[in-house]
Amino acid sequence: MMWPRCDQTAAWALLRTAFETSGKSFDLCDAFAADPQRFAHFSQSAPHVFADLSKNLVDTAVEQQLFALARQCGLEQHRDAMFSGALINSTEQRSVMHFLLRNGLAGQFIPAHAAIDKIADLQAEVHAGLDRMLAYAEQVRADDAITDIVNIGIGGSDLGPQMAVLALSEFAIKGKRFHFVSNVDGQELSSVLAQVKPQNTLFLIASKTFATLETMTNAHSARGWFEANDGQDIARHFAALTSNVAAANAFGITTTFGFWDWVGGRYSLWSAIGLPIAMAVGGQGFRALLAGAHAMDEHFRSAVLEHNLPVRLGLLDVWYRNFHGLTSRSIAPYSSALRRLPAYLQQLEMESNGKRVDSRGQTLPFETAPVLWGEPGTNGQHAYFQMLHQGTSVVPVEFVAIKKASHSLPGHHSQLLANALAQAQALMVGKTDSGGHKHFPGNRPSTFLLLDALTPTSLGALLALQEHRVFVSGAIWGINSFDQWGVELGKVLAKNMQVRLVTGDAQGLDGSTAGLLGHICRDQ
Ligand code: F6P
């Protein structure tokens, strides 16, 4: 069935009217005064995550209309299509089944998944791959001679594992260091190589395609360094995490961990790409991460829209982007361990939904993905929160806080939590001052996500929540959230430019690029 484009639904028109009549003058403090139950209405528990949505510029009537919009756009059917293995990544003719990587771990199969052809075979293959990968992780964990694990990968083959290894550092094995090399800037690899010895190092070459320029360049240099420094036994010191095992073999790597084309790069930390995480936290920890994500999958798959947290978050994103016209969202994890979360979410949201055409290639007449950005709290408070409180643009802030600290230093955690709560409060209530400079307009929206503790399970749930909320806004906008054609042009031009850097040939280039090329080549 063809679903109408979101801006052609009745709900969209009603939302437009609601925005004009009351939405744009909505006042959060008035809303709390008018509805003593507002917190209860706009907060909810989902697996391992408690969410307070009550400080958002939305009332029950608008939220109801957003649910109507979701239904009129076929959100539930699109979600079910993903869970049934349909080829929803239409431009690449692929299923989108990262949820399968975390399914059936307790032996049960989810009935809706039975629609996938040969589901049992596929799931058995997934579990066999997981068992093999976790056995290898345990083997490396027990190997005292391996002290350094160097993950070479970029994008989804770097951001997820790096973010999760940092987030779970309290659970990580002692005596092993984890390094992440992504940039083609040789500075990054050479500074890691200066700290490690060939006989004590395991290189993980993480690349779904095994063709990405940065990763291949770093992988070749790492192997060159290994051989030049009397490194012995590539099979022991290099492993590849890839869906292109043949290319890894051709590179000379025989220890390989594969995965499937239905796992998108930015959704791949649950696959073999998660090996550094498994090496850090162990097989049990990795299974707990998967279990947390699976619990959120089940919530997203089965909860009614009105109590479905990814749906509520994704719809708020649409409300802010398309009706309030807000251009960005700031991520504020009040947890130093989650300091790479904003970078990870940037790829998740902006590579998934940063598109100007729908899944049939038709140009969209409305805005799609916002800019995502952020730093951990409290650091951000001393940098850009000034603008969040008093700047000319309204930026919804997403706070992530952890109830229970992972350390025992007295006093710190209550200060951290106090600051998170106070910032959300200040954004909303503001402060009246006739002096101008000291006036805070308030009424600035935020969402507050609260985890009991930062554990593999809660992290898994938090990340799956984010994956699904991105799915929701993408589905409403009618775009294919699972391709990334926008990164291709730059890759092609860079290849051409590399030749020009050698020859100095500027023919056919635009004036600026030719001028820059001239400047670079002049002194070489
Ligand atoms: O930047 C484009 C992209 O394809 C991302 O989607 C992906 O995560 C990254 O490059 C790395 O790709 P690969 O794992 O194939 O090296």
Side-chain angles (χ1 to χ4, degrees):
M1 154 151 193
M2 288 279 282
W3 296 93
R5 208 176 63 192
C6 58
D7 61 330
Q8 290 165 359
T9 59
W12 189 274
L14 289 169
L15 283 164
R16 176 71 57 216
T17 308
F19 178 73
E20 291 303 329
T21 51
S22 56
K24 62 182 173 194
S25 55
F26 185 86
D27 186 89
L28 279 166
C29 291
D30 289 352
F32 273 98
D35 178 8
Q37 294 304 310
R38 183 171 170 84
F39 178 76
H41 290 152
F42 287 97
S43 62
Q44 81 162 87
S45 292
H48 311 290
V49 181
F50 176 80
D52 173 22
L53 312 179
S54 65
K55 292 197 201 75
N56 282 292
L57 305 173
V58 68
D59 58 19
T60 308
V62 165
E63 208 189 24
Q64 289 309 321
Q65 214 43 252
L66 288 166
F67 294 132
L69 175 70
R71 292 196 167 95
Q72 289 168 24
C73 293
L75 171 67
E76 290 152 304
Q77 289 76 4
H78 195 58
R79 173 193 63 187
D80 295 348
M82 172 174 76
F83 281 113
S84 70
L87 302 177
I88 62 166
N89 177 356
S90 51
T91 61
E92 297 178 311
Q93 284 298 297
R94 287 179 186 161
S95 305
V96 173
M97 297 197 290
H98 44 276
F99 63 86
L100 216 54
L101 301 169
R102 47 221 194 190
N103 180 44
L105 294 170
Q108 89 289 5
F109 291 107
I110 295 166
H113 298 165
I116 303 169
D117 275 352
K118 303 203 182 93
I119 172 72
D121 290 354
L122 200 50
Q123 191 73 81
E125 222 183 280
V126 166
H127 289 169
L130 177 65
D131 289 346
R132 190 172 153 263
M133 153 189 165
L134 296 187
Y136 178 66
E138 292 299 348
Q139 178 193 318
V140 172
R141 280 162 65 83
D143 186 342
D144 291 337
I146 299 292
T147 55
D148 291 90
I149 292 147
V150 180
N151 190 82
I152 294 180
I154 197 163
S157 301
D158 166 70
L159 290 164
Q162 188 184 160
M163 174 273 299
V165 166
L166 272 173
L168 300 175
S169 55
E170 284 299 318
F171 298 82
I173 188 168
K174 308 287 173 252
K176 294 201 193 294
R177 297 186 297 175
F178 292 83
H179 312 267
F180 290 86
V181 174
S182 52
N183 202 319
V184 74
D185 182 349
Q187 166 72 35
E188 209 168 81
L189 179 62
S190 64
S191 80
V192 170
L193 295 179
Q195 301 168 47
V196 301
K197 295 194 179 86
Q199 67 273 23
N200 303 124
T201 303
L202 170 62
F203 291 96
L204 300 176
I205 312 302
S207 176
K208 180 178 171 184
T209 53
F210 220 81
T212 303
L213 170 108
E214 293 89 335
T215 302
M216 290 302 104
T217 305
N218 280 322
H220 276 106
S221 297
R223 194 182 59 189
W225 169 88
F226 182 80
E227 286 164 351
N229 287 278
D230 289 331
Q232 306 292 325
D233 200 354
I234 294 252
R236 174 168 156 72
H237 292 279
F238 282 77
L241 325 175
T242 183
S243 60
N244 189 355
V245 169
N249 292 156
F251 180 90
I253 299 182
T254 49
T255 310
T256 58
F257 297 89
F259 57 102
W260 301 266
D261 71 355
W262 42 261
V263 181
R266 51 196 173 273
Y267 301 87
S268 65
L269 73 86
W270 324 98
S271 71
I273 293 293
L275 198 50
I277 311 170
M279 285 177 179
V281 303
Q284 228 185 335
F286 194 77
R287 284 180 188 278
L289 180 84
L290 298 180
H294 175 68
M296 191 60 76
D297 291 342
E298 275 309 276
H299 170 73
F300 178 51
R301 195 180 66 83
S302 58
V304 291
L305 302 190
E306 285 75 2
H307 299 290
N308 193 314
L309 187 55
V311 171
R312 295 180 84 182
L313 286 174
L315 291 174
L316 271 175
D317 296 340
V318 170
W319 176 238
Y320 284 147
R321 192 74 187 97
N322 300 116
F323 297 90
H324 281 268
L326 306 184
T327 54
S328 82
R329 176 163 81 250
S330 186
I331 312 298
Y334 273 66
S335 159
S336 172
L338 288 175
R339 62 189 172 277
R340 291 295 290 168
L341 184 68
Y344 166 80
L345 293 179
Q346 267 173 352
Q347 187 198 17
L348 183 60
E349 176 116 19
M350 293 161 75
E351 201 173 71
S352 297
N353 287 346
K355 293 165 191 167
R356 49 177 279 289
V357 297
D358 68 12
S359 54
R360 283 162 293 165
Q362 304 292 315
T363 304
L364 293 171
F366 48 79
E367 301 289 347
T368 59
V371 174
L372 250 68
W373 56 285
E375 283 287 322
T378 59
N379 301 28
Q381 290 173 210
H382 300 276
Y384 54 78
F385 268 54
Q386 161 66 39
M387 178 200 155
L388 297 180
H389 288 290
Q390 291 187 315
T392 49
S393 300
V394 173
V395 179
V397 181
E398 190 150 300
F399 292 90
V400 183
I402 319 286
K403 252 204 252 185
K404 194 170 161 302
S406 60
H407 60 83
S408 52
L409 289 177
H412 287 252
H413 202 62
S414 60
Q415 287 193 43
L416 184 67
L417 286 176
N419 271 278
L421 289 169
Q423 288 299 325
Q425 181 191 24
L427 284 165
M428 176 172 80
V429 300
K431 182 170 170 277
T432 305
D433 191 294
S434 54
H437 299 294
K438 295 180 181 171
H439 179 74
F440 289 68
N443 205 35
R444 304 222 155 175
S446 66
T447 293
F448 206 100
L449 302 178
L450 190 61
L451 311 183
D452 281 345
L454 185 55
T455 63
T457 311
S458 66
L459 181 68
L462 176 69
L463 301 181
L465 169 66
Q466 298 290 349
E467 288 179 350
H468 296 321
R469 71 101 69 89
V470 169
F471 178 96
V472 168
S473 53
I476 301 293
W477 290 324
I479 59 189
N480 177 2
S481 302
F482 300 99
D483 61 12
Q484 55 284 320
W485 298 107
V487 300
E488 294 306 319
L489 176 61
K491 288 186 193 174
V492 173
L493 294 185
K495 268 198 185 146
N496 175 275
M497 205 57 69
Q498 224 184 330
V499 177
R500 289 177 185 270
L501 277 168
V502 176
T503 61
D505 174 17
Q507 248 193 358
L509 292 177
D510 63 87
S512 166
T513 311
L516 288 168
L517 186 75
H519 266 272
I520 292 171
C521 292
R522 191 168 305 152
D523 303 326
Q524 279 180 349

